[in-house]
mmCIF file with all atom_site columns, all heavy atoms in Angstrom:
data_model
loop_
_atom_site.group_PDB
_atom_site.id
_atom_site.type_symbol
_atom_site.label_atom_id
_atom_site.label_alt_id
_atom_site.label_comp_id
_atom_site.label_asym_id
_atom_site.label_entity_id
_atom_site.label_seq_id
_atom_site.pdbx_PDB_ins_code
_atom_site.Cartn_x
_atom_site.Cartn_y
_atom_site.Cartn_z
_atom_site.occupancy
_atom_site.B_iso_or_equiv
_atom_site.pdbx_formal_charge
_atom_site.auth_seq_id
_atom_site.auth_comp_id
_atom_site.auth_asym_id
_atom_site.auth_atom_id
_atom_site.pdbx_PDB_model_num
ATOM 1   N N   . GLU A 1 1  ? 71.433 107.931 158.778 1.00 93.00 ? 726 GLU A N   1
ATOM 2   C CA  . GLU A 1 1  ? 71.159 107.796 160.172 1.00 93.00 ? 726 GLU A CA  1
ATOM 3   C C   . GLU A 1 1  ? 70.522 106.456 160.592 1.00 93.00 ? 726 GLU A C   1
ATOM 4   O O   . GLU A 1 1  ? 71.009 105.892 161.554 1.00 93.00 ? 726 GLU A O   1
ATOM 5   C CB  . GLU A 1 1  ? 70.250 108.952 160.600 1.00 93.00 ? 726 GLU A CB  1
ATOM 6   C CG  . GLU A 1 1  ? 69.961 109.067 162.059 1.00 93.00 ? 726 GLU A CG  1
ATOM 7   C CD  . GLU A 1 1  ? 69.001 110.202 162.376 1.00 93.00 ? 726 GLU A CD  1
ATOM 8   O OE1 . GLU A 1 1  ? 68.839 111.164 161.561 1.00 93.00 ? 726 GLU A OE1 1
ATOM 9   O OE2 . GLU A 1 1  ? 68.299 110.177 163.472 1.00 93.00 ? 726 GLU A OE2 1
ATOM 10  N N   . ILE A 1 2  ? 69.487 106.023 159.890 1.00 92.00 ? 727 ILE A N   1
ATOM 11  C CA  . ILE A 1 2  ? 68.883 104.709 160.160 1.00 92.00 ? 727 ILE A CA  1
ATOM 12  C C   . ILE A 1 2  ? 69.922 103.608 160.048 1.00 92.00 ? 727 ILE A C   1
ATOM 13  O O   . ILE A 1 2  ? 69.939 102.760 160.893 1.00 92.00 ? 727 ILE A O   1
ATOM 14  C CB  . ILE A 1 2  ? 67.744 104.357 159.152 1.00 92.00 ? 727 ILE A CB  1
ATOM 15  C CG1 . ILE A 1 2  ? 66.621 105.413 159.390 1.00 92.00 ? 727 ILE A CG1 1
ATOM 16  C CG2 . ILE A 1 2  ? 67.230 102.984 159.193 1.00 92.00 ? 727 ILE A CG2 1
ATOM 17  C CD1 . ILE A 1 2  ? 65.563 105.436 158.244 1.00 92.00 ? 727 ILE A CD1 1
ATOM 18  N N   . VAL A 1 3  ? 70.687 103.576 159.117 1.00 94.00 ? 728 VAL A N   1
ATOM 19  C CA  . VAL A 1 3  ? 71.736 102.454 158.772 1.00 94.00 ? 728 VAL A CA  1
ATOM 20  C C   . VAL A 1 3  ? 72.797 102.566 159.886 1.00 94.00 ? 728 VAL A C   1
ATOM 21  O O   . VAL A 1 3  ? 73.258 101.515 160.262 1.00 94.00 ? 728 VAL A O   1
ATOM 22  C CB  . VAL A 1 3  ? 72.223 102.610 157.344 1.00 94.00 ? 728 VAL A CB  1
ATOM 23  C CG1 . VAL A 1 3  ? 73.511 101.609 157.128 1.00 94.00 ? 728 VAL A CG1 1
ATOM 24  C CG2 . VAL A 1 3  ? 71.192 102.362 156.345 1.00 94.00 ? 728 VAL A CG2 1
ATOM 25  N N   . ARG A 1 4  ? 73.190 103.724 160.333 1.00 95.00 ? 729 ARG A N   1
ATOM 26  C CA  . ARG A 1 4  ? 74.238 103.838 161.435 1.00 95.00 ? 729 ARG A CA  1
ATOM 27  C C   . ARG A 1 4  ? 73.774 103.534 162.805 1.00 95.00 ? 729 ARG A C   1
ATOM 28  O O   . ARG A 1 4  ? 74.441 103.097 163.655 1.00 95.00 ? 729 ARG A O   1
ATOM 29  C CB  . ARG A 1 4  ? 74.716 105.164 161.326 1.00 95.00 ? 729 ARG A CB  1
ATOM 30  C CG  . ARG A 1 4  ? 75.853 105.612 162.259 1.00 95.00 ? 729 ARG A CG  1
ATOM 31  C CD  . ARG A 1 4  ? 77.110 105.007 161.656 1.00 95.00 ? 729 ARG A CD  1
ATOM 32  N NE  . ARG A 1 4  ? 78.273 105.462 162.590 1.00 95.00 ? 729 ARG A NE  1
ATOM 33  C CZ  . ARG A 1 4  ? 78.966 104.549 163.264 1.00 95.00 ? 729 ARG A CZ  1
ATOM 34  N NH1 . ARG A 1 4  ? 78.781 103.405 163.089 1.00 95.00 ? 729 ARG A NH1 1
ATOM 35  N NH2 . ARG A 1 4  ? 80.013 104.911 163.964 1.00 95.00 ? 729 ARG A NH2 1
ATOM 36  N N   . ALA A 1 5  ? 72.370 103.809 163.066 1.00 94.00 ? 730 ALA A N   1
ATOM 37  C CA  . ALA A 1 5  ? 71.939 103.681 164.480 1.00 94.00 ? 730 ALA A CA  1
ATOM 38  C C   . ALA A 1 5  ? 72.194 102.303 165.145 1.00 94.00 ? 730 ALA A C   1
ATOM 39  O O   . ALA A 1 5  ? 72.661 102.371 166.351 1.00 94.00 ? 730 ALA A O   1
ATOM 40  C CB  . ALA A 1 5  ? 70.499 104.008 164.426 1.00 94.00 ? 730 ALA A CB  1
ATOM 41  N N   . PRO A 1 6  ? 71.982 101.167 164.583 1.00 93.00 ? 731 PRO A N   1
ATOM 42  C CA  . PRO A 1 6  ? 72.250 99.911  165.203 1.00 93.00 ? 731 PRO A CA  1
ATOM 43  C C   . PRO A 1 6  ? 73.807 99.680  165.557 1.00 93.00 ? 731 PRO A C   1
ATOM 44  O O   . PRO A 1 6  ? 74.169 98.945  166.433 1.00 93.00 ? 731 PRO A O   1
ATOM 45  C CB  . PRO A 1 6  ? 71.891 98.933  164.257 1.00 93.00 ? 731 PRO A CB  1
ATOM 46  C CG  . PRO A 1 6  ? 70.714 99.643  163.421 1.00 93.00 ? 731 PRO A CG  1
ATOM 47  C CD  . PRO A 1 6  ? 71.335 100.916 163.311 1.00 93.00 ? 731 PRO A CD  1
ATOM 48  N N   . PHE A 1 7  ? 74.655 100.392 164.902 1.00 95.00 ? 732 PHE A N   1
ATOM 49  C CA  . PHE A 1 7  ? 76.090 100.263 165.188 1.00 95.00 ? 732 PHE A CA  1
ATOM 50  C C   . PHE A 1 7  ? 76.456 101.143 166.543 1.00 95.00 ? 732 PHE A C   1
ATOM 51  O O   . PHE A 1 7  ? 77.432 100.926 167.096 1.00 95.00 ? 732 PHE A O   1
ATOM 52  C CB  . PHE A 1 7  ? 76.856 100.615 163.973 1.00 95.00 ? 732 PHE A CB  1
ATOM 53  C CG  . PHE A 1 7  ? 76.927 99.691  162.871 1.00 95.00 ? 732 PHE A CG  1
ATOM 54  C CD1 . PHE A 1 7  ? 75.977 99.928  161.869 1.00 95.00 ? 732 PHE A CD1 1
ATOM 55  C CD2 . PHE A 1 7  ? 77.566 98.588  162.975 1.00 95.00 ? 732 PHE A CD2 1
ATOM 56  C CE1 . PHE A 1 7  ? 75.917 98.951  160.698 1.00 95.00 ? 732 PHE A CE1 1
ATOM 57  C CE2 . PHE A 1 7  ? 77.622 97.725  161.819 1.00 95.00 ? 732 PHE A CE2 1
ATOM 58  C CZ  . PHE A 1 7  ? 76.715 97.958  160.753 1.00 95.00 ? 732 PHE A CZ  1
ATOM 59  N N   . LEU A 1 8  ? 75.556 102.065 166.772 1.00 95.00 ? 733 LEU A N   1
ATOM 60  C CA  . LEU A 1 8  ? 75.762 102.925 167.861 1.00 95.00 ? 733 LEU A CA  1
ATOM 61  C C   . LEU A 1 8  ? 74.837 102.592 169.052 1.00 95.00 ? 733 LEU A C   1
ATOM 62  O O   . LEU A 1 8  ? 75.283 102.872 170.258 1.00 95.00 ? 733 LEU A O   1
ATOM 63  C CB  . LEU A 1 8  ? 75.513 104.363 167.476 1.00 95.00 ? 733 LEU A CB  1
ATOM 64  C CG  . LEU A 1 8  ? 76.245 105.044 166.304 1.00 95.00 ? 733 LEU A CG  1
ATOM 65  C CD1 . LEU A 1 8  ? 75.803 106.326 165.884 1.00 95.00 ? 733 LEU A CD1 1
ATOM 66  C CD2 . LEU A 1 8  ? 77.774 104.992 166.689 1.00 95.00 ? 733 LEU A CD2 1
ATOM 67  N N   . HIS A 1 9  ? 73.690 101.888 168.921 1.00 94.00 ? 734 HIS A N   1
ATOM 68  C CA  . HIS A 1 9  ? 72.671 101.833 169.956 1.00 94.00 ? 734 HIS A CA  1
ATOM 69  C C   . HIS A 1 9  ? 72.398 100.257 170.095 1.00 94.00 ? 734 HIS A C   1
ATOM 70  O O   . HIS A 1 9  ? 72.283 99.667  169.019 1.00 94.00 ? 734 HIS A O   1
ATOM 71  C CB  . HIS A 1 9  ? 71.482 102.712 169.776 1.00 94.00 ? 734 HIS A CB  1
ATOM 72  C CG  . HIS A 1 9  ? 71.924 104.139 169.553 1.00 94.00 ? 734 HIS A CG  1
ATOM 73  N ND1 . HIS A 1 9  ? 72.301 104.963 170.628 1.00 94.00 ? 734 HIS A ND1 1
ATOM 74  C CD2 . HIS A 1 9  ? 71.839 104.850 168.529 1.00 94.00 ? 734 HIS A CD2 1
ATOM 75  C CE1 . HIS A 1 9  ? 72.580 106.223 170.066 1.00 94.00 ? 734 HIS A CE1 1
ATOM 76  N NE2 . HIS A 1 9  ? 72.298 106.110 168.874 1.00 94.00 ? 734 HIS A NE2 1
ATOM 77  N N   . LYS A 1 10 ? 72.020 99.884  171.265 1.00 90.00 ? 735 LYS A N   1
ATOM 78  C CA  . LYS A 1 10 ? 71.686 98.513  171.445 1.00 90.00 ? 735 LYS A CA  1
ATOM 79  C C   . LYS A 1 10 ? 70.261 98.098  170.754 1.00 90.00 ? 735 LYS A C   1
ATOM 80  O O   . LYS A 1 10 ? 70.044 96.988  170.184 1.00 90.00 ? 735 LYS A O   1
ATOM 81  C CB  . LYS A 1 10 ? 71.574 98.154  172.935 1.00 90.00 ? 735 LYS A CB  1
ATOM 82  C CG  . LYS A 1 10 ? 71.337 96.715  173.151 1.00 90.00 ? 735 LYS A CG  1
ATOM 83  C CD  . LYS A 1 10 ? 71.411 96.349  174.561 1.00 90.00 ? 735 LYS A CD  1
ATOM 84  C CE  . LYS A 1 10 ? 71.155 94.899  174.724 1.00 90.00 ? 735 LYS A CE  1
ATOM 85  N NZ  . LYS A 1 10 ? 71.913 94.164  175.844 1.00 90.00 ? 735 LYS A NZ  1
ATOM 86  N N   . ARG A 1 11 ? 69.434 99.231  170.788 1.00 89.00 ? 736 ARG A N   1
ATOM 87  C CA  . ARG A 1 11 ? 67.970 98.982  170.227 1.00 89.00 ? 736 ARG A CA  1
ATOM 88  C C   . ARG A 1 11 ? 67.782 100.123 169.248 1.00 89.00 ? 736 ARG A C   1
ATOM 89  O O   . ARG A 1 11 ? 68.166 101.410 169.564 1.00 89.00 ? 736 ARG A O   1
ATOM 90  C CB  . ARG A 1 11 ? 66.920 98.951  171.175 1.00 89.00 ? 736 ARG A CB  1
ATOM 91  C CG  . ARG A 1 11 ? 67.099 97.663  172.018 1.00 89.00 ? 736 ARG A CG  1
ATOM 92  C CD  . ARG A 1 11 ? 65.835 97.654  173.020 1.00 89.00 ? 736 ARG A CD  1
ATOM 93  N NE  . ARG A 1 11 ? 65.841 96.275  173.724 1.00 89.00 ? 736 ARG A NE  1
ATOM 94  C CZ  . ARG A 1 11 ? 64.872 95.863  174.169 1.00 89.00 ? 736 ARG A CZ  1
ATOM 95  N NH1 . ARG A 1 11 ? 63.668 96.291  173.959 1.00 89.00 ? 736 ARG A NH1 1
ATOM 96  N NH2 . ARG A 1 11 ? 64.986 94.515  174.808 1.00 89.00 ? 736 ARG A NH2 1
ATOM 97  N N   . THR A 1 12 ? 67.076 99.892  168.136 1.00 84.00 ? 737 THR A N   1
ATOM 98  C CA  . THR A 1 12 ? 66.785 100.858 167.208 1.00 84.00 ? 737 THR A CA  1
ATOM 99  C C   . THR A 1 12 ? 65.432 100.733 166.680 1.00 84.00 ? 737 THR A C   1
ATOM 100 O O   . THR A 1 12 ? 65.015 99.631  166.356 1.00 84.00 ? 737 THR A O   1
ATOM 101 C CB  . THR A 1 12 ? 67.741 100.877 165.943 1.00 84.00 ? 737 THR A CB  1
ATOM 102 O OG1 . THR A 1 12 ? 69.072 101.021 166.475 1.00 84.00 ? 737 THR A OG1 1
ATOM 103 C CG2 . THR A 1 12 ? 67.418 101.933 165.016 1.00 84.00 ? 737 THR A CG2 1
ATOM 104 N N   . ALA A 1 13 ? 64.555 101.774 166.718 1.00 83.00 ? 738 ALA A N   1
ATOM 105 C CA  . ALA A 1 13 ? 63.197 101.767 166.209 1.00 83.00 ? 738 ALA A CA  1
ATOM 106 C C   . ALA A 1 13 ? 63.225 102.963 165.226 1.00 83.00 ? 738 ALA A C   1
ATOM 107 O O   . ALA A 1 13 ? 63.539 104.024 165.560 1.00 83.00 ? 738 ALA A O   1
ATOM 108 C CB  . ALA A 1 13 ? 62.150 101.818 167.276 1.00 83.00 ? 738 ALA A CB  1
ATOM 109 N N   . VAL A 1 14 ? 62.417 102.756 164.094 1.00 81.00 ? 739 VAL A N   1
ATOM 110 C CA  . VAL A 1 14 ? 62.345 103.842 163.124 1.00 81.00 ? 739 VAL A CA  1
ATOM 111 C C   . VAL A 1 14 ? 60.918 104.119 162.904 1.00 81.00 ? 739 VAL A C   1
ATOM 112 O O   . VAL A 1 14 ? 60.129 103.200 162.490 1.00 81.00 ? 739 VAL A O   1
ATOM 113 C CB  . VAL A 1 14 ? 63.127 103.406 161.857 1.00 81.00 ? 739 VAL A CB  1
ATOM 114 C CG1 . VAL A 1 14 ? 62.848 104.516 160.748 1.00 81.00 ? 739 VAL A CG1 1
ATOM 115 C CG2 . VAL A 1 14 ? 64.541 103.163 162.123 1.00 81.00 ? 739 VAL A CG2 1
ATOM 116 N N   . ARG A 1 15 ? 60.477 105.315 163.155 1.00 81.00 ? 740 ARG A N   1
ATOM 117 C CA  . ARG A 1 15 ? 59.223 105.641 162.870 1.00 81.00 ? 740 ARG A CA  1
ATOM 118 C C   . ARG A 1 15 ? 59.128 106.650 161.644 1.00 81.00 ? 740 ARG A C   1
ATOM 119 O O   . ARG A 1 15 ? 60.070 107.560 161.501 1.00 81.00 ? 740 ARG A O   1
ATOM 120 C CB  . ARG A 1 15 ? 58.595 106.329 164.006 1.00 81.00 ? 740 ARG A CB  1
ATOM 121 C CG  . ARG A 1 15 ? 57.113 106.790 163.894 1.00 81.00 ? 740 ARG A CG  1
ATOM 122 C CD  . ARG A 1 15 ? 56.425 107.402 165.098 1.00 81.00 ? 740 ARG A CD  1
ATOM 123 N NE  . ARG A 1 15 ? 57.303 107.620 166.247 1.00 81.00 ? 740 ARG A NE  1
ATOM 124 C CZ  . ARG A 1 15 ? 56.900 108.203 167.280 1.00 81.00 ? 740 ARG A CZ  1
ATOM 125 N NH1 . ARG A 1 15 ? 55.639 108.610 167.348 1.00 81.00 ? 740 ARG A NH1 1
ATOM 126 N NH2 . ARG A 1 15 ? 57.736 108.448 168.303 1.00 81.00 ? 740 ARG A NH2 1
ATOM 127 N N   . GLY A 1 16 ? 58.331 106.582 160.795 1.00 79.00 ? 741 GLY A N   1
ATOM 128 C CA  . GLY A 1 16 ? 58.182 107.273 159.578 1.00 79.00 ? 741 GLY A CA  1
ATOM 129 C C   . GLY A 1 16 ? 56.828 107.234 158.824 1.00 79.00 ? 741 GLY A C   1
ATOM 130 O O   . GLY A 1 16 ? 56.155 106.340 158.980 1.00 79.00 ? 741 GLY A O   1
ATOM 131 N N   . CYS A 1 17 ? 56.701 108.082 157.891 1.00 79.00 ? 742 CYS A N   1
ATOM 132 C CA  . CYS A 1 17 ? 55.607 108.054 157.084 1.00 79.00 ? 742 CYS A CA  1
ATOM 133 C C   . CYS A 1 17 ? 55.647 107.040 155.995 1.00 79.00 ? 742 CYS A C   1
ATOM 134 O O   . CYS A 1 17 ? 56.729 106.439 155.742 1.00 79.00 ? 742 CYS A O   1
ATOM 135 C CB  . CYS A 1 17 ? 55.360 109.479 156.424 1.00 79.00 ? 742 CYS A CB  1
ATOM 136 S SG  . CYS A 1 17 ? 56.728 109.998 155.327 1.00 79.00 ? 742 CYS A SG  1
ATOM 137 N N   . VAL A 1 18 ? 54.511 106.800 155.277 1.00 79.00 ? 743 VAL A N   1
ATOM 138 C CA  . VAL A 1 18 ? 54.579 105.827 154.294 1.00 79.00 ? 743 VAL A CA  1
ATOM 139 C C   . VAL A 1 18 ? 55.383 106.333 152.993 1.00 79.00 ? 743 VAL A C   1
ATOM 140 O O   . VAL A 1 18 ? 55.577 107.428 152.843 1.00 79.00 ? 743 VAL A O   1
ATOM 141 C CB  . VAL A 1 18 ? 53.080 105.646 153.660 1.00 79.00 ? 743 VAL A CB  1
ATOM 142 C CG1 . VAL A 1 18 ? 53.022 104.839 152.418 1.00 79.00 ? 743 VAL A CG1 1
ATOM 143 C CG2 . VAL A 1 18 ? 52.194 105.118 154.871 1.00 79.00 ? 743 VAL A CG2 1
ATOM 144 N N   . SER A 1 19 ? 56.222 105.361 152.459 1.00 75.00 ? 744 SER A N   1
ATOM 145 C CA  . SER A 1 19 ? 56.946 105.594 151.335 1.00 75.00 ? 744 SER A CA  1
ATOM 146 C C   . SER A 1 19 ? 58.184 106.470 151.521 1.00 75.00 ? 744 SER A C   1
ATOM 147 O O   . SER A 1 19 ? 58.624 107.327 150.816 1.00 75.00 ? 744 SER A O   1
ATOM 148 C CB  . SER A 1 19 ? 56.250 106.114 150.068 1.00 75.00 ? 744 SER A CB  1
ATOM 149 O OG  . SER A 1 19 ? 55.232 105.198 149.689 1.00 75.00 ? 744 SER A OG  1
ATOM 150 N N   . SER A 1 20 ? 58.752 106.429 152.819 1.00 77.00 ? 745 SER A N   1
ATOM 151 C CA  . SER A 1 20 ? 59.790 107.332 153.175 1.00 77.00 ? 745 SER A CA  1
ATOM 152 C C   . SER A 1 20 ? 61.162 106.547 153.068 1.00 77.00 ? 745 SER A C   1
ATOM 153 O O   . SER A 1 20 ? 62.246 106.968 153.549 1.00 77.00 ? 745 SER A O   1
ATOM 154 C CB  . SER A 1 20 ? 59.664 107.826 154.538 1.00 77.00 ? 745 SER A CB  1
ATOM 155 O OG  . SER A 1 20 ? 59.614 106.802 155.516 1.00 77.00 ? 745 SER A OG  1
ATOM 156 N N   . THR A 1 21 ? 61.206 105.407 152.455 1.00 85.00 ? 746 THR A N   1
ATOM 157 C CA  . THR A 1 21 ? 62.297 104.596 152.100 1.00 85.00 ? 746 THR A CA  1
ATOM 158 C C   . THR A 1 21 ? 62.917 103.871 153.336 1.00 85.00 ? 746 THR A C   1
ATOM 159 O O   . THR A 1 21 ? 64.165 103.483 153.477 1.00 85.00 ? 746 THR A O   1
ATOM 160 C CB  . THR A 1 21 ? 63.389 105.293 151.367 1.00 85.00 ? 746 THR A CB  1
ATOM 161 O OG1 . THR A 1 21 ? 64.008 106.273 152.123 1.00 85.00 ? 746 THR A OG1 1
ATOM 162 C CG2 . THR A 1 21 ? 62.895 105.880 150.044 1.00 85.00 ? 746 THR A CG2 1
ATOM 163 N N   . LYS A 1 22 ? 62.132 103.728 154.515 1.00 86.00 ? 747 LYS A N   1
ATOM 164 C CA  . LYS A 1 22 ? 62.619 102.988 155.562 1.00 86.00 ? 747 LYS A CA  1
ATOM 165 C C   . LYS A 1 22 ? 63.000 101.607 155.314 1.00 86.00 ? 747 LYS A C   1
ATOM 166 O O   . LYS A 1 22 ? 64.003 101.049 155.875 1.00 86.00 ? 747 LYS A O   1
ATOM 167 C CB  . LYS A 1 22 ? 61.526 102.992 156.807 1.00 86.00 ? 747 LYS A CB  1
ATOM 168 C CG  . LYS A 1 22 ? 61.161 104.460 157.150 1.00 86.00 ? 747 LYS A CG  1
ATOM 169 C CD  . LYS A 1 22 ? 60.028 104.262 158.398 1.00 86.00 ? 747 LYS A CD  1
ATOM 170 C CE  . LYS A 1 22 ? 58.760 103.671 157.802 1.00 86.00 ? 747 LYS A CE  1
ATOM 171 N NZ  . LYS A 1 22 ? 57.939 104.344 156.852 1.00 86.00 ? 747 LYS A NZ  1
ATOM 172 N N   . THR A 1 23 ? 62.085 100.920 154.501 1.00 89.00 ? 748 THR A N   1
ATOM 173 C CA  . THR A 1 23 ? 62.442 99.494  154.158 1.00 89.00 ? 748 THR A CA  1
ATOM 174 C C   . THR A 1 23 ? 63.695 99.405  153.328 1.00 89.00 ? 748 THR A C   1
ATOM 175 O O   . THR A 1 23 ? 64.463 98.419  153.575 1.00 89.00 ? 748 THR A O   1
ATOM 176 C CB  . THR A 1 23 ? 61.281 98.940  153.452 1.00 89.00 ? 748 THR A CB  1
ATOM 177 O OG1 . THR A 1 23 ? 60.122 99.041  154.158 1.00 89.00 ? 748 THR A OG1 1
ATOM 178 C CG2 . THR A 1 23 ? 61.387 97.408  153.104 1.00 89.00 ? 748 THR A CG2 1
ATOM 179 N N   . PHE A 1 24 ? 63.971 100.256 152.428 1.00 93.00 ? 749 PHE A N   1
ATOM 180 C CA  . PHE A 1 24 ? 65.130 100.218 151.702 1.00 93.00 ? 749 PHE A CA  1
ATOM 181 C C   . PHE A 1 24 ? 66.422 100.439 152.613 1.00 93.00 ? 749 PHE A C   1
ATOM 182 O O   . PHE A 1 24 ? 67.353 99.629  152.493 1.00 93.00 ? 749 PHE A O   1
ATOM 183 C CB  . PHE A 1 24 ? 65.102 101.378 150.519 1.00 93.00 ? 749 PHE A CB  1
ATOM 184 C CG  . PHE A 1 24 ? 66.451 101.437 149.895 1.00 93.00 ? 749 PHE A CG  1
ATOM 185 C CD1 . PHE A 1 24 ? 66.812 100.411 148.824 1.00 93.00 ? 749 PHE A CD1 1
ATOM 186 C CD2 . PHE A 1 24 ? 67.447 102.480 150.100 1.00 93.00 ? 749 PHE A CD2 1
ATOM 187 C CE1 . PHE A 1 24 ? 67.885 100.528 148.101 1.00 93.00 ? 749 PHE A CE1 1
ATOM 188 C CE2 . PHE A 1 24 ? 68.605 102.421 149.399 1.00 93.00 ? 749 PHE A CE2 1
ATOM 189 C CZ  . PHE A 1 24 ? 68.894 101.581 148.408 1.00 93.00 ? 749 PHE A CZ  1
ATOM 190 N N   . ALA A 1 25 ? 66.310 101.275 153.507 1.00 94.00 ? 750 ALA A N   1
ATOM 191 C CA  . ALA A 1 25 ? 67.225 101.518 154.533 1.00 94.00 ? 750 ALA A CA  1
ATOM 192 C C   . ALA A 1 25 ? 67.593 100.303 155.334 1.00 94.00 ? 750 ALA A C   1
ATOM 193 O O   . ALA A 1 25 ? 68.710 99.913  155.629 1.00 94.00 ? 750 ALA A O   1
ATOM 194 C CB  . ALA A 1 25 ? 67.030 102.789 155.327 1.00 94.00 ? 750 ALA A CB  1
ATOM 195 N N   . GLY A 1 26 ? 66.433 99.607  155.616 1.00 92.00 ? 751 GLY A N   1
ATOM 196 C CA  . GLY A 1 26 ? 66.517 98.369  156.400 1.00 92.00 ? 751 GLY A CA  1
ATOM 197 C C   . GLY A 1 26 ? 67.138 97.258  155.568 1.00 92.00 ? 751 GLY A C   1
ATOM 198 O O   . GLY A 1 26 ? 68.034 96.501  156.164 1.00 92.00 ? 751 GLY A O   1
ATOM 199 N N   . ALA A 1 27 ? 67.055 97.232  154.394 1.00 94.00 ? 752 ALA A N   1
ATOM 200 C CA  . ALA A 1 27 ? 67.738 96.240  153.450 1.00 94.00 ? 752 ALA A CA  1
ATOM 201 C C   . ALA A 1 27 ? 69.156 96.482  153.363 1.00 94.00 ? 752 ALA A C   1
ATOM 202 O O   . ALA A 1 27 ? 70.013 95.588  153.569 1.00 94.00 ? 752 ALA A O   1
ATOM 203 C CB  . ALA A 1 27 ? 67.101 96.177  152.064 1.00 94.00 ? 752 ALA A CB  1
#
């Protein structure tokens, strides 16, 4: 969902807890 969001929306922000792999998804 994180990786797909910018292809669907002009702006994307991701909120989540520590160590939830947000940075990996960002890479």
Side-chain angles (χ1 to χ4, degrees):
E726 183 182 337
I727 291 168
V728 172
R729 181 79 175 119
F732 290 97
L733 300 174
H734 309 287
K735 187 172 179 147
R736 290 183 176 212
T737 300
V739 177
R740 184 180 0 180
C742 62
V743 175
S744 297
S745 60
T746 69
K747 298 179 304 292
T748 304
F749 177 78

